Amino acid sequence: MEELKPRPANSSPLTPLGFLERAATVYGDCPSVVYSNTTYTWSQTHRRCLQVASSIASLGIKRGHVVSVMAPNVPAMYELHFAVPMAGAILNNINTRLDAHTVSVLLRHSESKLIFVDHLSRSLVLEALSLLPPNTQRPLLVLITDQDGDYQDSSSSAVDFCGTYESLVEKGDPQFRWDLPSSEWDPMILNYTSGTTSAPKGVVHCHRGIFIITVNSLIDWGVREQPVYLWTLPMFHANGWSYPWGIAAVGGTNICLRKFDGPTIFSLIKEHGVTHMCGAPVVLNMLTSSPKNQPLENPVHILTAGAPPPAAIKDRSKDVIISGGENLSSVEVESVLYTHPAVNEAAVVARPDEFWGETPCAFVSLREEGSSRNPTEKEIMEFCRAKLPHYMVPKTVVFKDELPKTSTGKIQKFVLREIARAMGSSRVSRM
């Protein structure tokens, strides 16, 4: 028994990249990626990822180099979650909603050697590169053009980019032999926080960590074999919560889309028989506000995070409002506000009060459609008073066209807290 030590045959490094090979073997002829009028099977997706990985290696990218991607949820974005680490590189997704200065900071900090750029983000990336210090080595650029053909090439493309994504697919070796990581602890992913409370911070994930996160996510959500997954969650947002690899593990179908709104989501659910989707609560608000908001033929499993959904009642300690010695949950108040038919978005923060210490202050945006007359501050308060203890009822209601949000769609409560604090002590009844 003492001789039973780890060997290559019994101690293969854990990595989610093997999920793609398995999908190509088990579900080879089943649809893997659907985007507009384009559909790939798992064997085709596997082949394309190998070709892109081969081309990445041919560009001089070595093991441990960082490869960045700035793109929406198009097939190239999905494939790069496999192709980049298959080439031994570290994948770094960049939020397409960031400004040029922040993108420049991330590129400099990550020392990115290659950037895949969606054609709609080209000017943003070029501006970000122009902000780098003069002695910084400029990364190679590859342009992701739209497969629907709505992209028109320009003369500057040839100067700034070494090629297009599809050219890398065509030139790549479909027999490319990718190597397992030398250790499952090797870095695979480099992400950055959205900078909600401070400057963005880098977060590195290893192959083992991503493998475990992926498997845990599938088990925790109870995802069964061959789901139809709608990509309403940006893959640049924490790698789509691990589901690029997770959907491969269960042989599902990825419904990719560049942009969406409520009607688009409902149409795709019906067209493709969507079974699963993820998104921040802002996506749920989008659905409830949609004119196509009707009962679905079949249930759709929705996983939400990033900010408390309307039905939540738990809260972080910094969002607990202490009014007259009573602790009240701002999220519980928000959940009631969201039941008002005219409310589109709601956030509740503490406003200073000379007598109570703090009182709830509600910031509300209203739906564009609905009744001809918008509710007043008093009517919102009376609505809450009928459903909440009196000490939890907002003592102030502020109407805004839109609530401030981060680049990932989370409501910026710290901005609202500053506004409430600047309003000074509320003058309300002491009873």
Side-chain angles (χ1 to χ4, degrees), residues 141-144 157-158 160-168 171:
L141 300 178
V142 173
L143 190 67
I144 300 174
S157 297
D160 299 318
F161 294 82
C162 64
T164 65
Y165 182 84
E166 288 302 319
S167 71
L168 264 61
K171 296 175 184 177

Side-chain angles (χ1 to χ4, degrees), residues 51-351:
Q51 289 172 289
V52 175
S54 168
S55 292
I56 290 174
S58 70
L59 290 174
I61 301 302
K62 306 297 184 184
R63 183 177 294 274
H65 282 176
V66 172
V67 173
S68 300
V69 183
M70 176 172 275
N73 290 351
V74 294
M77 179 59 140
Y78 183 82
E79 293 167 356
L80 287 167
H81 277 76
F82 294 93
V84 170
M86 278 179 157
I90 301 168
L91 175 66
N92 165 232
N93 289 336
I94 299 177
N95 190 331
T96 59
R97 302 164 187 162
L98 297 177
D99 60 82
H101 172 74
T102 304
V103 173
S104 179
V105 170
L106 301 189
L107 292 176
R108 182 184 182 188
H109 184 269
S110 66
E111 299 181 352
S112 180
K113 299 294 189 293
L114 169 65
I115 313 174
F116 287 88
V117 185
D118 181 75
H119 66 94
L120 294 182
S121 297
R122 180 179 63 181
S123 59
L124 172 62
V125 171
L126 293 179
E127 182 183 355
L129 292 176
S130 71
L131 299 176
L132 292 174
N135 60 344
T136 304
Q137 183 177 357
R138 185 186 177 96
L140 298 172
L141 300 178
V142 173
L143 190 67
I144 300 174
T145 57
D146 201 296
Q147 293 167 302
D148 283 345
D150 68 349
Y151 166 72
Q152 298 296 323
D153 196 6
S154 66
S155 58
S156 64
S157 297
V159 176
D160 299 318
F161 294 82
C162 64
T164 65
Y165 182 84
E166 288 302 319
S167 71
L168 264 61
V169 175
E170 295 171 3
K171 296 175 184 177
D173 180 8
Q175 304 301 320
F176 178 70
R177 295 180 62 86
W178 65 278
D179 295 325
L180 287 169
S182 55
S183 166
E184 60 188 29
W185 299 99
D186 285 352
M188 176 178 163
I189 300 294
L190 170 61
N191 290 333
Y192 285 89
T193 61
S194 60
T196 304
T197 56
S198 62
K201 295 173 283 293
V203 181
V204 179
H205 297 276
C206 64
H207 285 260
R208 173 187 173 87
I210 294 296
F211 178 93
I212 293 174
I213 289 171
T214 300
V215 174
N216 284 352
S217 297
L218 293 171
I219 294 173
D220 185 58
W221 200 9
V223 180
R224 297 186 177 182
E225 185 181 39
Q226 293 187 285
V228 179
Y229 184 90
L230 180 62
W231 274 105
T232 47
L233 172 71
M235 291 186 218
F236 61 68
H237 192 177
N239 302 105
W241 301 345
S242 81
Y243 287 103
W245 306 288
I247 299 304
V250 291
T253 303
N254 296 275
I255 310 299
C256 292
L257 64 170
R258 174 174 289 276
K259 56 184 178 181
F260 60 86
D261 54 19
T264 300
I265 294 174
F266 280 111
S267 295
L268 291 173
I269 288 174
K270 183 177 182 180
E271 178 182 355
H272 298 289
V274 170
T275 62
H276 293 74
M277 57 181 282
C278 294
V282 65
V283 176
L284 305 185
N285 294 339
M286 188 183 295
L287 292 175
T288 58
S289 303
S290 171
K292 288 192 175 183
N293 182 8
Q294 298 177 351
L296 300 174
E297 295 180 4
N298 297 297
V300 176
H301 301 272
I302 300 179
L303 184 64
T304 186
I313 59 174
K314 294 184 179 179
D315 212 347
R316 294 182 296 180
S317 59
K318 68 179 182 180
D319 287 330
V320 171
I321 300 171
I322 304 176
S323 184
E326 296 280 359
N327 289 7
L328 65 94
S329 167
S330 65
V331 177
E332 189 170 352
V333 182
E334 291 163 4
S335 67
V336 169
L337 287 167
Y338 273 112
T339 64
H340 193 289
V343 171
N344 180 46
E345 297 174 318
V348 177
V349 298
R351 179 181 177 183

Side-chain angles (χ1 to χ4, degrees), residues 402-424:
E402 184 177 359
L403 301 190
K405 301 181 186 67
T406 67
S407 58
T408 54
K410 294 188 292 185
I411 293 176
Q412 293 178 310
K413 278 197 169 182
F414 73 94
V415 174
L416 300 178
R417 290 190 195 98
E418 289 299 322
I419 296 175
R421 192 176 295 117
M423 291 166 66

Side-chain angles (χ1 to χ4, degrees), residues 26-38:
V26 179
Y27 308 103
D29 295 330
C30 299
S32 57
V33 175
V34 176
Y35 177 62
S36 189
N37 297 321
T38 301

